[in-house]
Amino acid sequence: MKKAFNDARPILDTIEQHGYEAYFVGGAVRDFILERPINDVDITTSAMPDEIETIFERTIPIGKEHGTINVLYDDDQYEVTTYRTESDYVDHRRPDHVAFVRELKEDLKRRDFTINALAMDKDFQVVDYFEGKKDMRLRQIRAVGEPAERFTEDALRILRGVRFQSQLDFEIETHTFRGMAAQIHDIKYLSIERIVVELKKLFHGVAVEKALKSMNHLGAFNDIPVFKSFDMKRLKLSTPLSMDFVLAILKLQQGSVQLKPLKISNQELQTIQTYEKAIAQINAIQSKFDIDKLLFQIDIQCIYSIISKTDILKENDVLHVSPFIFNKQVVETRYAQLPITSFNDLAVNGHDLMTHLNQRGGPWIKATLNQIVDAILKRDIINDKDEILKWVKQHVEV
């Protein structure tokens, strides 16, 4: 786990050689202490942004006005940020301006939670001004300083706190939770993009059930677009899920809601729609043909994903099919026996149909291809061009 820090050590060495302080900081330090996987390593320093640009040959001023310079070293990039303090926040979202300082403690005390207000030097010695390590031992999330001030500055910190609860399976310290509750309505000032980032991580955390209770206790969903349209207390989550899957459950459980206000990608919208369609089809299964049609229409990995979440779907009363009719073994067996798994497998195409029937193109082609698929899946015909065209001539009216 030290590799990520050792890879970045030359950055700290170089800064220190020029007479400045430099430390690893934030989530990477927290995760190192907790022996969790480490992603990005961030660096904080007493050097000013202009000084960092002078020290290193290859830099990108990605957030220079806020003190952050990207330093390119070997094949990696490292965010190096100058110690800073922040002024009053605008609309509970962002500081009016930042001021650069030379003291590490001044930088750390502006951070959200004690477990994130940790710094570590290149020799793995931790600087802990706010008892973050103690809070880790107590498995609790506690605000740095006065909670009301932290959450008034940036209401996103409320959602971050609950997200950390979900990811780390920690409790939220009582005074901190009261501070969250006092400022909860300020989340309406946040951009939906920032909110969605936190919710995705929250729903996918190991303690999502605990975090969901906190969100409901705070009334947080009441100020979040789309989610405020659902009765979130009806949602039961005992295992980590993607937000796509959560939204599919909510829509199946409580009715369709327009998702555009979430500003999620078209791919995510399509995934949610596919989950909804697949679960609805699974609930309607009456025969082996229904299973085969489902497996033809829906990606097999999507089906396996749904099967793996059978318990939680039943707990939310959105999956009603008997496990004796539909289960993984049945799916594997039926899928292995499918004569075709997509339209690309068909021995005929639209051009073949137009030529054989001497017809122009039109909606009839899609309808006919669907009829052919059904006939093949029912084993009325085999997937052979001549046999299909003969069957079409006898059974399809154009």
Side-chain angles (χ1 to χ4, degrees), residues 245 275 278-279 282 285 291 294-295 299-314 319 321 323 325-333:
F245 209 94
Y275 280 136
I279 293 169
I282 291 170
I285 288 174
I291 297 175
L294 170 76
L295 298 178
D299 180 76
I300 189 64
Q301 296 306 319
C302 175
I303 300 298
Y304 285 145
S305 178
I306 291 170
I307 291 173
S308 71
K309 299 171 180 64
T310 295
D311 290 345
I312 203 160
L313 289 169
K314 288 185 177 294
L319 188 67
V321 67
I325 295 175
F326 189 81
N327 55 59
K328 187 175 182 180
Q329 184 176 353
V330 168
V331 167
E332 288 176 344
T333 301

PDB file of all heavy atoms in Angstrom, residues 245 275 278-279 282 285 291 294-295 299-314 319 321 323 325-333:
ATOM      1  N   PHE A 245     -29.489   1.006 -10.604  1.00  0.00           N
ATOM      2  CA  PHE A 245     -30.357  -0.066 -10.120  1.00  0.00           C
ATOM      3  C   PHE A 245     -31.329   0.468  -9.068  1.00  0.00           C
ATOM      4  O   PHE A 245     -32.500   0.074  -9.025  1.00  0.00           O
ATOM      5  CB  PHE A 245     -29.522  -1.212  -9.543  1.00  0.00           C
ATOM      6  CG  PHE A 245     -30.186  -2.552  -9.654  1.00  0.00           C
ATOM      7  CD1 PHE A 245     -29.934  -3.383 -10.726  1.00  0.00           C
ATOM      8  CD2 PHE A 245     -31.091  -2.983  -8.691  1.00  0.00           C
ATOM      9  CE1 PHE A 245     -30.551  -4.622 -10.841  1.00  0.00           C
ATOM     10  CE2 PHE A 245     -31.724  -4.210  -8.795  1.00  0.00           C
ATOM     11  CZ  PHE A 245     -31.454  -5.036  -9.874  1.00  0.00           C
ATOM     12  N   TYR A 275     -33.180  -2.226 -17.076  1.00  0.00           N
ATOM     13  CA  TYR A 275     -33.500  -2.930 -15.824  1.00  0.00           C
ATOM     14  C   TYR A 275     -35.017  -2.989 -15.620  1.00  0.00           C
ATOM     15  O   TYR A 275     -35.580  -4.036 -15.268  1.00  0.00           O
ATOM     16  CB  TYR A 275     -32.857  -2.232 -14.629  1.00  0.00           C
ATOM     17  CG  TYR A 275     -31.395  -2.541 -14.435  1.00  0.00           C
ATOM     18  CD1 TYR A 275     -30.477  -1.522 -14.133  1.00  0.00           C
ATOM     19  CD2 TYR A 275     -30.915  -3.838 -14.510  1.00  0.00           C
ATOM     20  CE1 TYR A 275     -29.132  -1.810 -13.934  1.00  0.00           C
ATOM     21  CE2 TYR A 275     -29.565  -4.125 -14.313  1.00  0.00           C
ATOM     22  CZ  TYR A 275     -28.684  -3.100 -14.029  1.00  0.00           C
ATOM     23  OH  TYR A 275     -27.352  -3.383 -13.832  1.00  0.00           O
ATOM     24  N   ALA A 278     -36.568  -5.437 -18.170  1.00  0.00           N
ATOM     25  CA  ALA A 278     -36.224  -6.829 -17.883  1.00  0.00           C
ATOM     26  C   ALA A 278     -37.000  -7.359 -16.685  1.00  0.00           C
ATOM     27  O   ALA A 278     -37.538  -8.472 -16.721  1.00  0.00           O
ATOM     28  CB  ALA A 278     -34.719  -6.947 -17.638  1.00  0.00           C
ATOM     29  N   ILE A 279     -37.064  -6.577 -15.616  1.00  0.00           N
ATOM     30  CA  ILE A 279     -37.771  -7.031 -14.406  1.00  0.00           C
ATOM     31  C   ILE A 279     -39.252  -7.196 -14.689  1.00  0.00           C
ATOM     32  O   ILE A 279     -39.887  -8.160 -14.227  1.00  0.00           O
ATOM     33  CB  ILE A 279     -37.511  -6.054 -13.245  1.00  0.00           C
ATOM     34  CG1 ILE A 279     -36.029  -6.116 -12.841  1.00  0.00           C
ATOM     35  CG2 ILE A 279     -38.406  -6.387 -12.041  1.00  0.00           C
ATOM     36  CD1 ILE A 279     -35.594  -5.015 -11.886  1.00  0.00           C
ATOM     37  N   ILE A 282     -39.617 -10.402 -16.589  1.00  0.00           N
ATOM     38  CA  ILE A 282     -39.404 -11.557 -15.705  1.00  0.00           C
ATOM     39  C   ILE A 282     -40.671 -11.832 -14.898  1.00  0.00           C
ATOM     40  O   ILE A 282     -41.089 -12.988 -14.745  1.00  0.00           O
ATOM     41  CB  ILE A 282     -38.205 -11.301 -14.767  1.00  0.00           C
ATOM     42  CG1 ILE A 282     -36.902 -11.297 -15.574  1.00  0.00           C
ATOM     43  CG2 ILE A 282     -38.137 -12.376 -13.678  1.00  0.00           C
ATOM     44  CD1 ILE A 282     -35.700 -10.816 -14.800  1.00  0.00           C
ATOM     45  N   ILE A 285     -43.329 -13.859 -16.849  1.00  0.00           N
ATOM     46  CA  ILE A 285     -42.983 -15.175 -17.396  1.00  0.00           C
ATOM     47  C   ILE A 285     -44.049 -16.215 -17.079  1.00  0.00           C
ATOM     48  O   ILE A 285     -44.443 -16.391 -15.927  1.00  0.00           O
ATOM     49  CB  ILE A 285     -41.609 -15.638 -16.858  1.00  0.00           C
ATOM     50  CG1 ILE A 285     -40.486 -14.817 -17.506  1.00  0.00           C
ATOM     51  CG2 ILE A 285     -41.395 -17.130 -17.123  1.00  0.00           C
ATOM     52  CD1 ILE A 285     -39.106 -15.093 -16.935  1.00  0.00           C
ATOM     53  N   ILE A 291     -39.178 -17.072 -21.337  1.00  0.00           N
ATOM     54  CA  ILE A 291     -37.793 -16.995 -20.879  1.00  0.00           C
ATOM     55  C   ILE A 291     -36.857 -16.802 -22.066  1.00  0.00           C
ATOM     56  O   ILE A 291     -35.957 -15.964 -22.043  1.00  0.00           O
ATOM     57  CB  ILE A 291     -37.401 -18.255 -20.084  1.00  0.00           C
ATOM     58  CG1 ILE A 291     -38.241 -18.379 -18.819  1.00  0.00           C
ATOM     59  CG2 ILE A 291     -35.909 -18.231 -19.736  1.00  0.00           C
ATOM     60  CD1 ILE A 291     -38.008 -19.650 -18.037  1.00  0.00           C
ATOM     61  N   LEU A 294     -37.076 -13.302 -23.408  1.00  0.00           N
ATOM     62  CA  LEU A 294     -36.355 -12.405 -22.509  1.00  0.00           C
ATOM     63  C   LEU A 294     -34.849 -12.466 -22.772  1.00  0.00           C
ATOM     64  O   LEU A 294     -34.184 -11.429 -22.896  1.00  0.00           O
ATOM     65  CB  LEU A 294     -36.640 -12.782 -21.058  1.00  0.00           C
ATOM     66  CG  LEU A 294     -35.781 -12.102 -19.995  1.00  0.00           C
ATOM     67  CD1 LEU A 294     -36.237 -10.662 -19.782  1.00  0.00           C
ATOM     68  CD2 LEU A 294     -35.834 -12.862 -18.674  1.00  0.00           C
ATOM     69  N   LEU A 295     -34.316 -13.671 -22.866  1.00  0.00           N
ATOM     70  CA  LEU A 295     -32.880 -13.850 -23.065  1.00  0.00           C
ATOM     71  C   LEU A 295     -32.431 -13.360 -24.435  1.00  0.00           C
ATOM     72  O   LEU A 295     -31.277 -12.965 -24.614  1.00  0.00           O
ATOM     73  CB  LEU A 295     -32.502 -15.322 -22.882  1.00  0.00           C
ATOM     74  CG  LEU A 295     -32.784 -15.900 -21.490  1.00  0.00           C
ATOM     75  CD1 LEU A 295     -32.422 -17.372 -21.440  1.00  0.00           C
ATOM     76  CD2 LEU A 295     -32.004 -15.128 -20.430  1.00  0.00           C
ATOM     77  N   ASP A 299     -29.598  -8.250 -22.593  1.00  0.00           N
ATOM     78  CA  ASP A 299     -28.227  -8.731 -22.445  1.00  0.00           C
ATOM     79  C   ASP A 299     -28.120  -9.706 -21.275  1.00  0.00           C
ATOM     80  O   ASP A 299     -28.654  -9.461 -20.187  1.00  0.00           O
ATOM     81  CB  ASP A 299     -27.288  -7.545 -22.228  1.00  0.00           C
ATOM     82  CG  ASP A 299     -25.842  -7.983 -22.067  1.00  0.00           C
ATOM     83  OD1 ASP A 299     -25.216  -8.328 -23.081  1.00  0.00           O
ATOM     84  OD2 ASP A 299     -25.369  -7.979 -20.918  1.00  0.00           O
ATOM     85  N   ILE A 300     -27.430 -10.809 -21.494  1.00  0.00           N
ATOM     86  CA  ILE A 300     -27.369 -11.872 -20.488  1.00  0.00           C
ATOM     87  C   ILE A 300     -26.727 -11.389 -19.190  1.00  0.00           C
ATOM     88  O   ILE A 300     -27.113 -11.811 -18.087  1.00  0.00           O
ATOM     89  CB  ILE A 300     -26.601 -13.106 -21.048  1.00  0.00           C
ATOM     90  CG1 ILE A 300     -26.717 -14.291 -20.096  1.00  0.00           C
ATOM     91  CG2 ILE A 300     -25.159 -12.764 -21.345  1.00  0.00           C
ATOM     92  CD1 ILE A 300     -28.114 -14.821 -19.898  1.00  0.00           C
ATOM     93  N   GLN A 301     -25.750 -10.474 -19.276  1.00  0.00           N
ATOM     94  CA  GLN A 301     -25.118  -9.968 -18.062  1.00  0.00           C
ATOM     95  C   GLN A 301     -26.093  -9.145 -17.227  1.00  0.00           C
ATOM     96  O   GLN A 301     -26.026  -9.147 -15.987  1.00  0.00           O
ATOM     97  CB  GLN A 301     -23.877  -9.138 -18.417  1.00  0.00           C
ATOM     98  CG  GLN A 301     -22.773  -9.933 -19.085  1.00  0.00           C
ATOM     99  CD  GLN A 301     -22.365 -11.168 -18.276  1.00  0.00           C
ATOM    100  OE1 GLN A 301     -22.266 -11.112 -17.048  1.00  0.00           O
ATOM    101  NE2 GLN A 301     -22.131 -12.277 -18.967  1.00  0.00           N
ATOM    102  N   CYS A 302     -26.986  -8.460 -17.895  1.00  0.00           N
ATOM    103  CA  CYS A 302     -28.033  -7.720 -17.192  1.00  0.00           C
ATOM    104  C   CYS A 302     -28.944  -8.692 -16.443  1.00  0.00           C
ATOM    105  O   CYS A 302     -29.315  -8.439 -15.285  1.00  0.00           O
ATOM    106  CB  CYS A 302     -28.842  -6.882 -18.177  1.00  0.00           C
ATOM    107  SG  CYS A 302     -30.256  -6.028 -17.438  1.00  0.00           S
ATOM    108  N   ILE A 303     -29.280  -9.797 -17.075  1.00  0.00           N
ATOM    109  CA  ILE A 303     -30.125 -10.816 -16.442  1.00  0.00           C
ATOM    110  C   ILE A 303     -29.428 -11.400 -15.214  1.00  0.00           C
ATOM    111  O   ILE A 303     -30.033 -11.551 -14.145  1.00  0.00           O
ATOM    112  CB  ILE A 303     -30.474 -11.937 -17.432  1.00  0.00           C
ATOM    113  CG1 ILE A 303     -31.225 -11.369 -18.642  1.00  0.00           C
ATOM    114  CG2 ILE A 303     -31.292 -13.028 -16.747  1.00  0.00           C
ATOM    115  CD1 ILE A 303     -32.542 -10.723 -18.306  1.00  0.00           C
ATOM    116  N   TYR A 304     -28.156 -11.722 -15.360  1.00  0.00           N
ATOM    117  CA  TYR A 304     -27.408 -12.263 -14.217  1.00  0.00           C
ATOM    118  C   TYR A 304     -27.342 -11.248 -13.075  1.00  0.00           C
ATOM    119  O   TYR A 304     -27.410 -11.609 -11.891  1.00  0.00           O
ATOM    120  CB  TYR A 304     -25.991 -12.658 -14.646  1.00  0.00           C
ATOM    121  CG  TYR A 304     -25.924 -13.933 -15.460  1.00  0.00           C
ATOM    122  CD1 TYR A 304     -24.992 -14.078 -16.485  1.00  0.00           C
ATOM    123  CD2 TYR A 304     -26.783 -14.993 -15.194  1.00  0.00           C
ATOM    124  CE1 TYR A 304     -24.920 -15.248 -17.231  1.00  0.00           C
ATOM    125  CE2 TYR A 304     -26.721 -16.163 -15.930  1.00  0.00           C
ATOM    126  CZ  TYR A 304     -25.791 -16.291 -16.949  1.00  0.00           C
ATOM    127  OH  TYR A 304     -25.736 -17.461 -17.689  1.00  0.00           O
ATOM    128  N   SER A 305     -27.196  -9.971 -13.428  1.00  0.00           N
ATOM    129  CA  SER A 305     -27.164  -8.926 -12.409  1.00  0.00           C
ATOM    130  C   SER A 305     -28.478  -8.894 -11.637  1.00  0.00           C
ATOM    131  O   SER A 305     -28.487  -8.765 -10.407  1.00  0.00           O
ATOM    132  CB  SER A 305     -26.901  -7.566 -13.060  1.00  0.00           C
ATOM    133  OG  SER A 305     -26.906  -6.538 -12.104  1.00  0.00           O
ATOM    134  N   ILE A 306     -29.573  -9.020 -12.345  1.00  0.00           N
ATOM    135  CA  ILE A 306     -30.890  -9.024 -11.695  1.00  0.00           C
ATOM    136  C   ILE A 306     -31.048 -10.256 -10.803  1.00  0.00           C
ATOM    137  O   ILE A 306     -31.521 -10.155  -9.664  1.00  0.00           O
ATOM    138  CB  ILE A 306     -32.009  -8.975 -12.759  1.00  0.00           C
ATOM    139  CG1 ILE A 306     -32.010  -7.602 -13.443  1.00  0.00           C
ATOM    140  CG2 ILE A 306     -33.375  -9.273 -12.134  1.00  0.00           C
ATOM    141  CD1 ILE A 306     -32.903  -7.510 -14.653  1.00  0.00           C
ATOM    142  N   ILE A 307     -30.628 -11.388 -11.301  1.00  0.00           N
ATOM    143  CA  ILE A 307     -30.737 -12.631 -10.502  1.00  0.00           C
ATOM    144  C   ILE A 307     -29.937 -12.519  -9.211  1.00  0.00           C
ATOM    145  O   ILE A 307     -30.381 -12.955  -8.147  1.00  0.00           O
ATOM    146  CB  ILE A 307     -30.260 -13.840 -11.331  1.00  0.00           C
ATOM    147  CG1 ILE A 307     -31.248 -14.119 -12.474  1.00  0.00           C
ATOM    148  CG2 ILE A 307     -30.122 -15.080 -10.446  1.00  0.00           C
ATOM    149  CD1 ILE A 307     -30.782 -15.178 -13.443  1.00  0.00           C
ATOM    150  N   SER A 308     -28.759 -11.901  -9.296  1.00  0.00           N
ATOM    151  CA  SER A 308     -27.909 -11.765  -8.108  1.00  0.00           C
ATOM    152  C   SER A 308     -28.532 -10.853  -7.060  1.00  0.00           C
ATOM    153  O   SER A 308     -28.127 -10.864  -5.892  1.00  0.00           O
ATOM    154  CB  SER A 308     -26.525 -11.239  -8.505  1.00  0.00           C
ATOM    155  OG  SER A 308     -26.587  -9.877  -8.891  1.00  0.00           O
ATOM    156  N   LYS A 309     -29.522 -10.067  -7.462  1.00  0.00           N
ATOM    157  CA  LYS A 309     -30.171  -9.127  -6.548  1.00  0.00           C
ATOM    158  C   LYS A 309     -31.617  -9.536  -6.253  1.00  0.00           C
ATOM    159  O   LYS A 309     -32.442  -8.698  -5.851  1.00  0.00           O
ATOM    160  CB  LYS A 309     -30.117  -7.720  -7.137  1.00  0.00           C
ATOM    161  CG  LYS A 309     -28.690  -7.214  -7.353  1.00  0.00           C
ATOM    162  CD  LYS A 309     -28.661  -5.927  -8.128  1.00  0.00           C
ATOM    163  CE  LYS A 309     -27.243  -5.428  -8.349  1.00  0.00           C
ATOM    164  NZ  LYS A 309     -26.430  -6.349  -9.176  1.00  0.00           N
ATOM    165  N   THR A 310     -31.904 -10.811  -6.431  1.00  0.00           N
ATOM    166  CA  THR A 310     -33.270 -11.305  -6.231  1.00  0.00           C
ATOM    167  C   THR A 310     -33.819 -10.943  -4.859  1.00  0.00           C
ATOM    168  O   THR A 310     -34.956 -10.467  -4.733  1.00  0.00           O
ATOM    169  CB  THR A 310     -33.318 -12.832  -6.431  1.00  0.00           C
ATOM    170  OG1 THR A 310     -33.015 -13.133  -7.804  1.00  0.00           O
ATOM    171  CG2 THR A 310     -34.704 -13.375  -6.099  1.00  0.00           C
ATOM    172  N   ASP A 311     -33.027 -11.157  -3.826  1.00  0.00           N
ATOM    173  CA  ASP A 311     -33.516 -10.917  -2.461  1.00  0.00           C
ATOM    174  C   ASP A 311     -33.919  -9.468  -2.252  1.00  0.00           C
ATOM    175  O   ASP A 311     -34.981  -9.185  -1.685  1.00  0.00           O
ATOM    176  CB  ASP A 311     -32.451 -11.316  -1.438  1.00  0.00           C
ATOM    177  CG  ASP A 311     -32.256 -12.824  -1.362  1.00  0.00           C
ATOM    178  OD1 ASP A 311     -33.122 -13.561  -1.869  1.00  0.00           O
ATOM    179  OD2 ASP A 311     -31.229 -13.267  -0.807  1.00  0.00           O
ATOM    180  N   ILE A 312     -33.082  -8.545  -2.697  1.00  0.00           N
ATOM    181  CA  ILE A 312     -33.389  -7.139  -2.467  1.00  0.00           C
ATOM    182  C   ILE A 312     -34.550  -6.668  -3.333  1.00  0.00           C
ATOM    183  O   ILE A 312     -35.340  -5.806  -2.937  1.00  0.00           O
ATOM    184  CB  ILE A 312     -32.132  -6.264  -2.687  1.00  0.00           C
ATOM    185  CG1 ILE A 312     -32.280  -4.948  -1.919  1.00  0.00           C
ATOM    186  CG2 ILE A 312     -31.866  -5.979  -4.144  1.00  0.00           C
ATOM    187  CD1 ILE A 312     -30.975  -4.256  -1.673  1.00  0.00           C
ATOM    188  N   LEU A 313     -34.700  -7.272  -4.516  1.00  0.00           N
ATOM    189  CA  LEU A 313     -35.842  -6.940  -5.370  1.00  0.00           C
ATOM    190  C   LEU A 313     -37.146  -7.430  -4.740  1.00  0.00           C
ATOM    191  O   LEU A 313     -38.168  -6.732  -4.773  1.00  0.00           O
ATOM    192  CB  LEU A 313     -35.659  -7.549  -6.761  1.00  0.00           C
ATOM    193  CG  LEU A 313     -34.569  -6.908  -7.629  1.00  0.00           C
ATOM    194  CD1 LEU A 313     -34.289  -7.761  -8.860  1.00  0.00           C
ATOM    195  CD2 LEU A 313     -34.968  -5.492  -8.038  1.00  0.00           C
ATOM    196  N   LYS A 314     -37.107  -8.602  -4.169  1.00  0.00           N
ATOM    197  CA  LYS A 314     -38.302  -9.120  -3.479  1.00  0.00           C
ATOM    198  C   LYS A 314     -38.595  -8.312  -2.215  1.00  0.00           C
ATOM    199  O   LYS A 314     -39.758  -8.059  -1.874  1.00  0.00           O
ATOM    200  CB  LYS A 314     -38.114 -10.600  -3.153  1.00  0.00           C
ATOM    201  CG  LYS A 314     -38.187 -11.515  -4.371  1.00  0.00           C
ATOM    202  CD  LYS A 314     -38.109 -12.972  -3.982  1.00  0.00           C
ATOM    203  CE  LYS A 314     -38.259 -13.885  -5.202  1.00  0.00           C
ATOM    204  NZ  LYS A 314     -39.600 -13.793  -5.822  1.00  0.00           N
ATOM    205  N   LEU A 319     -40.145  -7.775  -7.541  1.00  0.00           N
ATOM    206  CA  LEU A 319     -39.917  -9.023  -8.259  1.00  0.00           C
ATOM    207  C   LEU A 319     -40.839 -10.085  -7.666  1.00  0.00           C
ATOM    208  O   LEU A 319     -40.785 -10.376  -6.481  1.00  0.00           O
ATOM    209  CB  LEU A 319     -38.464  -9.473  -8.139  1.00  0.00           C
ATOM    210  CG  LEU A 319     -38.055 -10.666  -9.013  1.00  0.00           C
ATOM    211  CD1 LEU A 319     -38.097 -10.285 -10.495  1.00  0.00           C
ATOM    212  CD2 LEU A 319     -36.662 -11.158  -8.649  1.00  0.00           C
ATOM    213  N   VAL A 321     -41.785 -13.191  -9.544  1.00  0.00           N
ATOM    214  CA  VAL A 321     -41.726 -14.497 -10.187  1.00  0.00           C
ATOM    215  C   VAL A 321     -41.225 -15.550  -9.198  1.00  0.00           C
ATOM    216  O   VAL A 321     -40.404 -15.266  -8.315  1.00  0.00           O
ATOM    217  CB  VAL A 321     -40.800 -14.440 -11.428  1.00  0.00           C
ATOM    218  CG1 VAL A 321     -39.354 -14.218 -11.018  1.00  0.00           C
ATOM    219  CG2 VAL A 321     -40.938 -15.698 -12.271  1.00  0.00           C
ATOM    220  N   PRO A 323     -39.028 -18.482  -7.796  1.00  0.00           N
ATOM    221  CA  PRO A 323     -37.643 -18.908  -8.034  1.00  0.00           C
ATOM    222  C   PRO A 323     -37.558 -20.281  -8.687  1.00  0.00           C
ATOM    223  O   PRO A 323     -36.519 -20.642  -9.235  1.00  0.00           O
ATOM    224  CB  PRO A 323     -37.023 -18.915  -6.636  1.00  0.00           C
ATOM    225  CG  PRO A 323     -38.175 -19.062  -5.706  1.00  0.00           C
ATOM    226  CD  PRO A 323     -39.313 -18.331  -6.354  1.00  0.00           C
ATOM    227  N   ILE A 325     -39.405 -21.077 -11.223  1.00  0.00           N
ATOM    228  CA  ILE A 325     -39.607 -20.807 -12.647  1.00  0.00           C
ATOM    229  C   ILE A 325     -38.404 -20.090 -13.247  1.00  0.00           C
ATOM    230  O   ILE A 325     -37.982 -20.376 -14.374  1.00  0.00           O
ATOM    231  CB  ILE A 325     -40.882 -19.957 -12.860  1.00  0.00           C
ATOM    232  CG1 ILE A 325     -42.119 -20.759 -12.435  1.00  0.00           C
ATOM    233  CG2 ILE A 325     -41.001 -19.511 -14.315  1.00  0.00           C
ATOM    234  CD1 ILE A 325     -43.406 -19.961 -12.500  1.00  0.00           C
ATOM    235  N   PHE A 326     -37.861 -19.157 -12.475  1.00  0.00           N
ATOM    236  CA  PHE A 326     -36.773 -18.317 -12.992  1.00  0.00           C
ATOM    237  C   PHE A 326     -35.643 -18.250 -11.982  1.00  0.00           C
ATOM    238  O   PHE A 326     -35.796 -17.705 -10.884  1.00  0.00           O
ATOM    239  CB  PHE A 326     -37.312 -16.913 -13.288  1.00  0.00           C
ATOM    240  CG  PHE A 326     -36.326 -16.032 -14.021  1.00  0.00           C
ATOM    241  CD1 PHE A 326     -36.166 -16.151 -15.395  1.00  0.00           C
ATOM    242  CD2 PHE A 326     -35.570 -15.089 -13.338  1.00  0.00           C
ATOM    243  CE1 PHE A 326     -35.262 -15.339 -16.076  1.00  0.00           C
ATOM    244  CE2 PHE A 326     -34.664 -14.283 -14.009  1.00  0.00           C
ATOM    245  CZ  PHE A 326     -34.519 -14.417 -15.382  1.00  0.00           C
ATOM    246  N   ASN A 327     -34.504 -18.833 -12.335  1.00  0.00           N
ATOM    247  CA  ASN A 327     -33.319 -18.797 -11.491  1.00  0.00           C
ATOM    248  C   ASN A 327     -32.082 -18.916 -12.386  1.00  0.00           C
ATOM    249  O   ASN A 327     -32.200 -19.096 -13.605  1.00  0.00           O
ATOM    250  CB  ASN A 327     -33.355 -19.907 -10.440  1.00  0.00           C
ATOM    251  CG  ASN A 327     -33.528 -21.289 -11.064  1.00  0.00           C
ATOM    252  OD1 ASN A 327     -32.707 -21.710 -11.879  1.00  0.00           O
ATOM    253  ND2 ASN A 327     -34.611 -21.988 -10.697  1.00  0.00           N
ATOM    254  N   LYS A 328     -30.913 -18.851 -11.794  1.00  0.00           N
ATOM    255  CA  LYS A 328     -29.686 -18.845 -12.585  1.00  0.00           C
ATOM    256  C   LYS A 328     -29.507 -20.130 -13.383  1.00  0.00           C
ATOM    257  O   LYS A 328     -29.096 -20.100 -14.546  1.00  0.00           O
ATOM    258  CB  LYS A 328     -28.481 -18.617 -11.676  1.00  0.00           C
ATOM    259  CG  LYS A 328     -27.174 -18.424 -12.460  1.00  0.00           C
ATOM    260  CD  LYS A 328     -26.016 -18.084 -11.540  1.00  0.00           C
ATOM    261  CE  LYS A 328     -24.741 -17.848 -12.350  1.00  0.00           C
ATOM    262  NZ  LYS A 328     -23.589 -17.516 -11.491  1.00  0.00           N
ATOM    263  N   GLN A 329     -29.823 -21.253 -12.785  1.00  0.00           N
ATOM    264  CA  GLN A 329     -29.656 -22.522 -13.492  1.00  0.00           C
ATOM    265  C   GLN A 329     -30.578 -22.600 -14.704  1.00  0.00           C
ATOM    266  O   GLN A 329     -30.173 -23.040 -15.783  1.00  0.00           O
ATOM    267  CB  GLN A 329     -29.946 -23.687 -12.543  1.00  0.00           C
ATOM    268  CG  GLN A 329     -29.708 -25.050 -13.190  1.00  0.00           C
ATOM    269  CD  GLN A 329     -29.896 -26.204 -12.211  1.00  0.00           C
ATOM    270  OE1 GLN A 329     -30.087 -25.986 -11.018  1.00  0.00           O
ATOM    271  NE2 GLN A 329     -29.855 -27.426 -12.722  1.00  0.00           N
ATOM    272  N   VAL A 330     -31.820 -22.169 -14.531  1.00  0.00           N
ATOM    273  CA  VAL A 330     -32.765 -22.152 -15.650  1.00  0.00           C
ATOM    274  C   VAL A 330     -32.251 -21.245 -16.763  1.00  0.00           C
ATOM    275  O   VAL A 330     -32.275 -21.610 -17.946  1.00  0.00           O
ATOM    276  CB  VAL A 330     -34.163 -21.689 -15.185  1.00  0.00           C
ATOM    277  CG1 VAL A 330     -35.058 -21.399 -16.392  1.00  0.00           C
ATOM    278  CG2 VAL A 330     -34.807 -22.735 -14.285  1.00  0.00           C
ATOM    279  N   VAL A 331     -31.777 -20.074 -16.391  1.00  0.00           N
ATOM    280  CA  VAL A 331     -31.277 -19.117 -17.377  1.00  0.00           C
ATOM    281  C   VAL A 331     -30.080 -19.689 -18.129  1.00  0.00           C
ATOM    282  O   VAL A 331     -30.005 -19.600 -19.361  1.00  0.00           O
ATOM    283  CB  VAL A 331     -30.895 -17.787 -16.692  1.00  0.00           C
ATOM    284  CG1 VAL A 331     -30.075 -16.903 -17.637  1.00  0.00           C
ATOM    285  CG2 VAL A 331     -32.141 -17.043 -16.250  1.00  0.00           C
ATOM    286  N   GLU A 332     -29.143 -20.271 -17.411  1.00  0.00           N
ATOM    287  CA  GLU A 332     -27.955 -20.838 -18.062  1.00  0.00           C
ATOM    288  C   GLU A 332     -28.345 -21.942 -19.038  1.00  0.00           C
ATOM    289  O   GLU A 332     -27.803 -22.027 -20.148  1.00  0.00           O
ATOM    290  CB  GLU A 332     -26.997 -21.375 -17.002  1.00  0.00           C
ATOM    291  CG  GLU A 332     -26.299 -20.280 -16.207  1.00  0.00           C
ATOM    292  CD  GLU A 332     -25.424 -20.840 -15.097  1.00  0.00           C
ATOM    293  OE1 GLU A 332     -25.595 -22.040 -14.748  1.00  0.00           O
ATOM    294  OE2 GLU A 332     -24.571 -20.095 -14.572  1.00  0.00           O
ATOM    295  N   THR A 333     -29.273 -22.786 -18.617  1.00  0.00           N
ATOM    296  CA  THR A 333     -29.708 -23.901 -19.475  1.00  0.00           C
ATOM    297  C   THR A 333     -30.418 -23.393 -20.714  1.00  0.00           C
ATOM    298  O   THR A 333     -30.105 -23.813 -21.838  1.00  0.00           O
ATOM    299  CB  THR A 333     -30.635 -24.853 -18.692  1.00  0.00           C
ATOM    300  OG1 THR A 333     -29.936 -25.358 -17.560  1.00  0.00           O
ATOM    301  CG2 THR A 333     -31.087 -26.008 -19.574  1.00  0.00           C
TER     302      THR A 333
END
